[in-house]
């Protein structure tokens, strides 16, 4: 059974891996539009596919592309780079250029016999109607206005949202079969009780159409005073405001105030527009920077930190001016809105029209005595399900629910209300097994550290009409992107996702979408029901951990899985294809292929009847002896001549690493112990290795010895063999170095190998994926035997990291793999003990058959045994 800590590691990854986490833009969007995907499609010139992705969640792509408050952009990763993606503008580009009625999904489920009434044709009511109709309900929308769209039609100026765009997109509901009754005011033309009797459920989706006016001021009811809601409604329906004067004062610092100010400039007869707000600067205003900029360009005169102290009227009762007072602060010590003023710091302003953009409320008279209204005018309903607390048949959406303030939020509440209605109609629990966060913004767990110093690019703003031209009419101000502009902007998208391990690890991509999903499967299904090849395809390179922002350790889990599979199989590897690896280990540990070289020759030991202590023991490993017997002999000779022949010996014995790779833990301990016992018997103090795997294994298991690589020993103590220095000078070869992933954290090895090449006089070039970030050649984990197809892909990729044909390695297995990948690969021993290496010497090296491999291993034994003779 897997150890507790391994299972805990799995659970930690399953719970905290960010592989399935959504990007901030998608998580923040209340409708969770797949922003990343449609922007990628736009970048790739696939506008038709992009609009389909958008329409999968949004039926108003052109409208939202123009007027959405785009909370997604406020959370865009690019905010760190001071230039958030123009997400809404790209949505508009896709809608304007590729949206066609023939791609609209107008399929609905069969009629289910249920009838639902929706009060209000604003964004929340329209969305609720769509979702209910798609499920087979008969839906009727009742709207008191003569137009559809609610505040989108009568609250947002036409210069921001052309009415033909809005109405065309709303026509989608006609295609679905949603009925509309316009000019039908509930509470007047038809009562709410009637709807409750005629329909199975009712969705209340009325907006905040009642504008607020500061009624604490004298003359608040004078002619020329408007609420923002009433002012914008009249302007939207008639392109005029009959009772507006020549000089307009707009009160408020939000986007609605900017709409009022900019609309005023377009009303016939208006000559000047002032804006006052309590905020002390443009930066502190609630309104978006783009709207403030537009107002400034068009000529609105801003006055910050100002409030009306007194309204003046003329003899006819019309506004004639105001006295303003200085606002000192907006909030008290607890952070509550409680403005304070300097009543003596005043100024006069001559105006004849005042528009209060200081908030709006719900007109709820139609539901009097039926639905409870909160103090803030919204209807009392359950925050999660939106079911009315007064009547179970009624569900509240949009502004009326208190759960939305912008269009996209209103749409999300419409969707949530529709989902609740369907559960109610089906007699189901409104909350059980329901992912409610799908209909509101949430904070993603995705965290992507980004080095902005290496990233450039600025937001591509849309072209606009000239200010002097645009204030002459309600024509659309923003002109939209060209294809080139849209693709440039889309190309900036960071395509935020974690999956950094997936981008690196070929094996993981063969078996899962991300570690979170994989280990969730292991925990839910049990390891016995998972494909064993997953564990045996991990080459233990640890790149997944290096790439992971949370440094999750996957390698340890896969190693534990291999151990467990072997244990369940009586201690033996369960994969038939790996049994030959174990057979090779048996031979590598057998007396036939192993030998010990004592510091004291055998004949001398026999005479003195007591072996001398062997301080330094050279352990060449398995692959190097099978590759270059002469090279092994040369290393031992170099060590003896440098450290003293009486101090240096050798051990040709396998460390057992392959057995560990395939999960046969007991065998590994047995085989490794055999080597350790010999080292202890020799009295060894220092183990000298040329094999990265031997270095790591003995560093872990040899308790009585210090382990050092031959490369570090040369660099720090003994230098190169005599006659080697400068041997490569003048060579026409430029080498790439391949660092072994086994010793990627042994920086001294990397430095020493490069020092050796410099001392030899060879030219070399560094590659990007090397050193502490090196990639595995493919041999790791015995993937070369367990999954040959993956092994080939791994070494092919690794070879593609190189920019030279000549590769030098200091691992026998890596050298063979790079040669298999088509590179001219040499072991560094070839250069240290060989003549000058040039391009015309490139040749196939190493053994060609398994038989030849064992012959070379025996040759190494013979060469080493010579040192045992006086």
């Amino acid at each position: 059974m897997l150890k507790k800590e391994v299972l805990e590691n799995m659970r930690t990854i399953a719970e905290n891996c960010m592989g399935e986490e959504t990007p901030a833009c998608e998580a923040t969007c209340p409708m969770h539009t797949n922003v990343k995907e449609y922007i990628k499609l736009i970048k790739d010139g696939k506008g038709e596919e992009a609009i389909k992705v958008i329409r999968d969640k949004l039926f108003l792509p052109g409208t939202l592309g123009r007027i959405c408050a785009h909370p997604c952009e406020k959370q865009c990763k690019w905010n760190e780079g001071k230039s958030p993606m123009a997400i809404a503008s790209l949505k508009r580009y896709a809608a304007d250029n590729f949206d066609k009625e023939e791609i609209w999904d107008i399929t609905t489920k069969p009629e289910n016999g249920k009838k639902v009434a929706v009060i209000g044709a604003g964004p929340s009511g329209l969305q609720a109607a769509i979702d209910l109709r798609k499920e087979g309900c008969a839906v009727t929308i009742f709207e008191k206005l003569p137009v559809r769209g609610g505040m989108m039609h009568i609250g947002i100026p036409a210069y921001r949202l052309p009415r033909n765009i809005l109405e065309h997109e709303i026509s989608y509901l006609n295609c679905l079969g949603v009925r509309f009754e316009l000019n039908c005011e509930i509470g007047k033309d038809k009562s709410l009780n009637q709807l409750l009797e005629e329909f199975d459920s009712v969705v209340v989706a009325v907006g905040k159409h009642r504008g607020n006016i500061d009624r604490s001021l004298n003359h608040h009811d004078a002619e020329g005073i408007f609420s923002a809601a009433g002012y914008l409604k009249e302007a939207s329906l008639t392109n005029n405001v009959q009772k507006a004067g020549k000089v307009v004062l707009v009160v408020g610092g939000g986007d609605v105030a900017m709409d009022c100010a900019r609309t005023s400039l377009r009303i016939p007869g208006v000559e000047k527009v002032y804006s006052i707000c309590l905020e002390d600067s443009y930066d502190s205003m609630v309104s978006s920077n783009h709207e403030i900029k537009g107002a400034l360009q068009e000529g609105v005169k801003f006055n910050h930190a100002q409030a009306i102290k007194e309204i003046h009227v003329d003899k006819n009762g019309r506004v004639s001016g105001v006295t303003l007072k200085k606002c000192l602060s907006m909030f008290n010590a607890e952070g509550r809105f409680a403005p304070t003023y300097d009543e003596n710091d005043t100024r006069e302003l001559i105006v004849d029209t005042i528009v209060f953009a200081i908030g709006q409320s719900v007109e709820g008279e139609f539901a009097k005595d039926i639905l409870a209204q909160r103090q803030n005018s919204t209807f009392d309903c359950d925050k999660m399900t939106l079911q009315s607390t007064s009547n179970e048949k009624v569900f509240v959406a949009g502004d009326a629910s208190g759960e939305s303030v912008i269009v996209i939020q209103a749409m999300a509440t419409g969707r949530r209300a529709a989902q609740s209605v369907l559960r109610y109609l089906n007699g189901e629990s409104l909350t059980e097994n329901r992912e409610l966060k799908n209909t509101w913004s949430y904070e993603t767990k995705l965290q992507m550290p980004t080095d902005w110093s290496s990233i450039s690019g600025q937001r591509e703003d849309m072209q606009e009409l000239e200010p002097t031209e645009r204030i002459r009419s309600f024509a659309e101000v923003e002109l939209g992107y060209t294809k080139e502009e849209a693709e440039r902007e889309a190309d900036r998208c960071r395509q935020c996702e974690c999956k950094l391990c997936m981008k690196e690890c070929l094996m993981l991509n063969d078996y899962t979408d991300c570690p979170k999903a994989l280990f969730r499967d292991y925990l839910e299904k049990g390891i016995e029901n998972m494909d064993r090849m997953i564990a045996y395809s991990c080459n233990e390179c640890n790149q997944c951990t290096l790439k992971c922002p949370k440094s999750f350790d996957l390698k340890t889990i896969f190693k534990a899985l291999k151990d467990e599979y072997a244990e369940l199989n009586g201690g033996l590897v369960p994969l038939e294809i790996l049994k030959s690896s174990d057979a090779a280990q048996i031979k590598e540990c057998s007396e036939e292929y192993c030998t010990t070289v004592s510091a004291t020759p055998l004949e001398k030991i026999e005479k003195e009847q007591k072996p001398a202590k062997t301080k330094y023991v050279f352990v060449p490993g398995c692959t190097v002896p099978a590759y270059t017997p002469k090279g092994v002999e040369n290393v031992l000779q170099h060590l003896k001549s440098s450290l003293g022949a009486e101090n240096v010996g050798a051990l040709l014995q396998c460390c057992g690493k392959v057995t560990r790779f395939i999960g046969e833990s007991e065998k590994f301990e047995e085989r490794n112990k055999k080597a350790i016992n010999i080292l202890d018997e020799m009295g060894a103090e220092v183990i000298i290795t040329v094999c990265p795997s031997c270095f790591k294994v003995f560093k872990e298991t040899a308790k009585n010895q210090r382990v050092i690589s031959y490369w570090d020993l040369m660099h720090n103590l003994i230098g190169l063999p005599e006659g080697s220095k400068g041997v490569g000078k003048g060579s026409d070869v430029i080498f790439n170095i391949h660092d072994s992933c086994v010793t990627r954290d042994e920086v001294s090895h990397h430095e020493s190998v490069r020092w050796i090449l410099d001392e030899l006089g060879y030219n070399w070039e560094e590659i990007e994926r090397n050193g502490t970030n090196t990639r595995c050649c493919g041999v790791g984990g015995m993937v070369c035997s367990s999954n040959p197809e993956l092994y080939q892909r791994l070494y092919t990729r690794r070879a593609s990291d190189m920019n030279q044909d000549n590769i030098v390695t200091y691992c026998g297995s890596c050298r063979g793999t790079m040669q298999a990948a088509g590179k001219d690969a040499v072991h560094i021993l070839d250069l240290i003990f060989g003549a000058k290496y040039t391009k015309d010497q490139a040749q196939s090296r190493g053994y060609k058959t398994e038989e030849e491999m064992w012959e070379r291993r025996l040759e190494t034994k013979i060469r080493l045994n010579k040192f045992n003779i006086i």
Side-chain angles (χ1 to χ4, degrees):
M1 184 175 179
L2 286 173
K3 292 180 181 178
K4 180 181 178 181
E5 58 266 27
V6 177
L7 290 170
E8 283 301 314
N9 193 7
M10 279 189 180
R11 289 191 190 95
T12 297
I13 296 173
E15 292 170 4
N16 298 292
C17 168
M18 298 185 293
E20 292 181 345
E21 291 298 323
T22 52
C25 52
E26 183 178 341
T28 305
C29 174
M31 293 291 285
H32 306 301
T33 318
N34 192 342
V35 175
K36 182 178 74 173
E37 179 63 17
Y38 79 70
I39 288 182
K40 180 179 183 298
L41 290 167
I42 290 173
K43 183 198 77 168
D44 294 340
K46 299 177 180 178
E48 294 85 356
E49 289 87 344
I51 191 61
K52 290 176 183 177
V53 170
I54 297 168
R55 274 201 164 270
D56 183 56
K57 293 291 178 70
L58 306 174
F59 76 100
L60 294 167
T63 297
L64 290 168
R66 289 166 165 82
I67 56 90
C68 185
H70 42 69
C72 53
E73 294 186 16
K74 294 179 177 65
Q75 298 302 319
C76 174
K77 186 71 178 174
W78 256 104
N79 277 294
E80 296 176 6
K82 312 301 183 187
S83 189
M85 289 292 302
I87 297 171
S89 299
L90 288 169
K91 187 185 293 102
R92 170 183 167 175
Y93 166 77
D96 286 356
N97 293 278
F98 304 103
D99 195 19
K100 302 173 184 177
E101 288 187 31
E102 50 264 38
I103 71 166
W104 292 0
D105 178 12
I106 57 174
T107 59
T108 61
K109 291 182 179 179
E111 301 291 334
N112 60 21
K114 302 296 184 180
K115 297 195 304 179
V116 182
V118 177
I119 305 174
S124 63
L126 295 170
Q127 187 65 59
I130 289 171
D131 290 1
L132 289 165
R133 183 72 195 109
K134 296 282 283 182
E135 291 295 319
C137 297
V139 183
T140 303
I141 299 179
F142 297 90
E143 171 57 62
K144 73 174 183 178
L145 292 169
V147 294
R148 303 187 291 184
M151 293 301 289
M152 293 187 295
H153 195 121
I154 64 165
I156 296 175
Y159 65 80
R160 288 180 57 203
L161 176 57
R163 300 305 181 235
N164 64 312
I165 298 290
L166 176 62
E167 182 54 34
H168 175 67
E169 295 189 325
I170 294 176
S171 71
Y172 174 60
L173 281 82
N174 300 86
C175 299
L176 289 175
V178 175
R179 292 185 62 248
F180 286 86
E181 289 195 25
L182 304 181
N183 295 304
C184 181
E185 184 175 350
I186 304 302
K188 180 179 177 182
D189 301 307
K190 191 182 284 280
S191 72
L192 178 56
N193 275 328
Q194 281 180 279
L195 296 186
L196 290 170
E197 291 172 4
E198 294 175 16
F199 292 86
D200 297 296
S201 184
V202 176
V203 176
V204 174
V206 294
K208 291 185 174 179
H209 287 243
R210 176 179 287 151
N212 296 338
I213 288 174
D214 188 349
R215 299 182 184 279
S216 69
L217 295 168
N218 290 333
H219 308 305
H220 66 266
D221 55 354
E223 185 174 342
I225 292 181
F226 299 86
S227 71
Y231 193 76
L232 291 173
K233 176 182 176 182
E234 184 177 349
S236 293
L237 294 175
T238 67
N239 284 349
N240 196 4
V241 178
Q242 286 293 332
K243 294 187 177 181
K246 294 182 178 181
V247 184
V248 179
L249 172 65
V250 178
V251 183
D255 281 340
V256 174
M258 296 305 99
D259 285 343
C260 292
R262 298 179 69 183
T263 291
S264 296
L265 291 165
R266 290 160 170 78
I267 292 174
V270 173
E271 298 174 355
K272 187 177 292 185
V273 177
Y274 293 103
S275 167
I276 66 168
C277 60
L278 300 180
E279 294 91 341
D280 61 4
S281 67
Y282 294 115
D283 289 339
S284 59
M285 288 175 66
V286 178
S287 180
S288 61
N289 291 334
H290 183 73
E291 288 302 312
I292 295 171
K293 179 182 176 183
L296 283 168
Q297 289 174 337
E298 293 171 5
V300 175
K301 307 298 182 184
F302 282 85
N303 299 270
H304 292 106
Q306 298 290 318
I308 296 176
K309 180 175 183 177
E310 188 177 352
I311 298 174
H312 308 296
V313 297
D314 62 19
K315 61 182 179 180
N316 297 316
R318 183 178 182 93
V319 173
S320 62
V322 293
T323 298
L324 302 179
K325 59 185 177 181
K326 180 76 171 180
C327 176
L328 300 176
S329 65
M330 292 179 62
F331 305 98
N332 62 19
E334 289 75 39
R336 296 190 183 92
F337 181 70
T340 59
Y341 306 98
D342 183 345
E343 300 288 344
N344 297 316
D345 188 348
T346 63
R347 54 182 291 205
E348 302 298 317
L349 205 60
I350 298 174
V351 299
D352 57 14
T353 306
I354 302 174
V355 182
F356 285 95
I358 56 173
Q360 294 163 212
S361 56
V362 175
E363 296 174 337
E365 289 78 5
F366 72 92
K368 191 176 183 181
D369 302 327
I370 300 174
L371 303 180
Q373 254 183 306
R374 303 182 183 112
Q375 200 169 13
N376 65 2
S377 82
T378 61
F379 291 107
D380 199 10
C381 60
D382 183 271
K383 180 179 178 66
M384 307 289 281
T385 67
L386 303 181
Q387 187 177 43
S388 167
T389 58
S390 306
N391 189 308
E392 67 173 9
K393 288 182 68 172
V394 176
F395 296 82
V396 190
D399 293 349
S401 70
E403 296 301 313
S404 71
V405 293
I406 59 176
V407 171
I408 195 74
Q409 289 173 340
M411 291 172 65
T413 63
R415 170 153 291 171
R416 196 188 323 164
Q419 292 170 354
S420 293
V421 168
L422 290 167
R423 284 174 171 254
Y424 168 75
L425 294 177
N426 292 327
E428 301 171 354
S429 165
L430 299 188
T431 57
E432 190 175 340
N433 297 321
R434 183 175 177 186
E435 190 61 80
L436 285 159
K437 80 172 185 179
N438 288 336
T439 53
W440 62 58
S441 297
Y442 62 88
E443 186 174 348
T444 181
K445 294 180 182 177
L446 182 63
Q447 300 170 356
M448 297 299 298
T450 303
D451 178 12
W452 290 99
S453 64
S454 61
I455 300 169
S456 61
Q458 289 295 314
R459 182 183 176 105
E460 186 91 28
D461 290 325
M462 281 189 284
Q463 299 297 312
E464 298 180 342
L465 289 176
E466 288 296 321
T468 53
E469 180 183 351
R470 64 198 193 206
I471 61 174
R472 295 174 186 168
S473 70
F474 283 88
E476 187 169 18
V477 169
E478 294 183 324
L479 303 179
Y481 281 143
T482 64
K483 181 177 186 295
E484 293 73 23
E485 290 168 341
E487 290 180 2
R488 276 200 304 270
E489 177 62 15
D491 191 46
R492 291 198 310 125
C493 179
R494 303 296 301 159
Q495 289 292 302
C496 296
E497 64 176 0
C498 188
K499 296 192 179 180
L500 295 174
C501 58
M502 304 300 293
K503 292 184 173 78
E504 172 63 28
C505 181
L506 300 181
M507 179 279 280
L508 284 174
N509 283 276
D510 287 346
Y511 296 105
T512 189
D513 186 55
C514 69
K516 184 184 190 78
L518 179 64
F519 293 119
R520 185 173 59 222
D521 284 347
Y522 272 110
L523 292 167
E524 291 175 358
K525 298 176 182 178
I527 71 164
E528 65 278 5
N529 297 313
M530 296 291 287
D531 186 351
R532 291 176 300 183
M533 277 301 297
I534 300 174
Y536 286 99
S537 294
C538 172
N539 56 10
E540 301 184 18
C541 69
N542 216 39
Q543 275 284 355
C544 51
T545 302
L546 292 175
K547 294 291 179 288
C548 177
K550 296 190 175 184
S551 300
F552 287 135
D553 181 6
L554 277 65
K555 178 179 79 172
T556 299
I557 296 177
F558 290 128
K559 287 174 68 175
L561 286 170
K562 287 191 280 189
D563 290 346
E564 182 68 9
Y565 285 133
E567 187 174 328
L568 292 172
N569 193 47
L572 302 175
V573 62
L575 298 186
E576 192 66 33
I577 197 171
L578 285 176
K579 290 182 179 177
S580 60
S581 299
D582 187 60
Q585 284 274 278
I586 292 172
K587 292 177 73 172
E588 286 169 342
C589 295
S590 69
E591 288 187 12
E592 181 183 0
Y593 291 94
C594 298
T595 191
T596 301
V597 177
S598 176
T600 306
L602 290 176
E603 292 181 19
K604 189 173 182 180
I605 291 174
E606 290 172 359
K607 288 178 182 178
E608 298 180 1
Q609 297 183 338
K610 184 179 179 182
K613 178 178 178 181
T614 304
K615 182 177 180 181
Y616 299 98
V617 177
F618 168 46
V619 181
C622 299
T623 53
V624 172
Y627 168 63
T628 175
K630 180 61 176 174
V632 172
E633 179 184 0
N634 286 336
V635 172
L636 183 55
Q637 185 63 57
H638 178 212
L639 293 173
K640 280 183 170 289
S641 63
S642 302
L643 300 172
E646 71 282 2
N647 295 320
V648 180
L651 173 63
L652 184 60
Q653 180 84 36
C654 181
C655 70
K657 180 65 178 284
V658 170
T659 314
R660 172 182 276 184
F661 265 151
I662 63 178
E664 295 182 342
S665 299
E666 289 186 13
K667 285 187 178 181
F668 164 73
E669 291 177 8
E670 175 188 327
R671 290 166 182 170
N672 179 255
K673 185 65 176 174
K674 184 176 181 181
I676 295 296
N677 287 342
I678 295 172
L679 290 165
D680 288 343
E681 289 169 5
M682 295 174 74
E685 295 179 11
V686 179
I687 301 171
I688 301 169
T689 66
V690 291
C691 170
S693 290
C694 288
F695 177 88
K696 280 296 188 181
V697 169
F698 286 122
K699 195 173 182 182
E700 177 186 338
T701 61
K703 305 304 180 186
N704 300 318
Q705 291 83 27
R706 180 168 65 92
V707 185
I708 188 171
S709 73
Y710 179 47
W711 331 120
D712 281 359
L713 190 64
M714 277 192 283
H715 186 192
N716 299 320
L717 184 64
I718 66 175
L720 295 180
E722 188 177 348
S724 294
K725 187 170 182 177
V727 70
K729 285 184 178 179
S731 170
D732 56 356
V733 172
I734 299 176
F735 287 105
N736 281 153
I737 303 168
H738 167 67
D739 291 309
S740 170
C741 64
V742 177
T743 51
R744 70 152 51 87
D745 56 339
E746 301 292 337
V747 176
S748 65
H749 293 200
H750 313 154
E751 294 171 346
S752 295
V753 165
R754 286 154 178 77
W755 173 84
I756 291 168
L757 288 173
D758 288 339
E759 289 292 291
L760 291 172
Y762 285 107
N763 295 314
W764 55 275
E765 281 187 2
E766 198 64 85
I767 60 172
E768 182 181 355
R769 304 300 300 273
N770 230 13
T772 57
N773 191 37
T774 193
R775 276 179 165 158
C776 179
C777 70
V779 170
M782 290 306 293
V783 172
C784 53
S785 298
S786 62
N787 195 335
E789 187 275 332
L790 174 61
Y791 168 55
Q792 184 174 10
R793 282 188 283 138
L794 286 166
Y795 72 59
T796 299
R797 181 181 69 171
R798 182 53 177 162
S800 71
D801 289 338
M802 310 295 171
N803 53 39
Q804 298 291 337
D805 291 329
N806 296 93
I807 312 298
V808 59
T809 77
Y810 45 103
C811 169
S813 296
C814 293
R815 190 217 62 80
T817 298
M818 288 297 95
Q819 181 177 301
K823 295 292 184 178
D824 180 51
V826 298
H827 195 284
I828 196 167
L829 293 179
D830 295 327
L831 304 181
I832 294 171
F833 296 107
K836 180 189 298 184
Y837 189 82
T838 60
K839 286 184 178 179
D840 60 11
Q841 290 176 290
Q843 57 183 297
S844 176
R845 293 178 181 78
Y847 53 84
K848 296 179 176 61
T849 65
E850 184 175 350
E851 182 180 355
E852 186 180 352
M853 175 188 77
W854 293 113
E855 288 175 356
R856 291 191 180 195
R857 178 66 181 261
L858 286 174
E859 181 187 342
T860 299
K861 178 179 177 180
I862 294 168
R863 287 177 177 273
L864 291 179
N865 279 340
K866 290 189 297 183
F867 290 89
N868 280 322
I869 303 171
I870 293 178

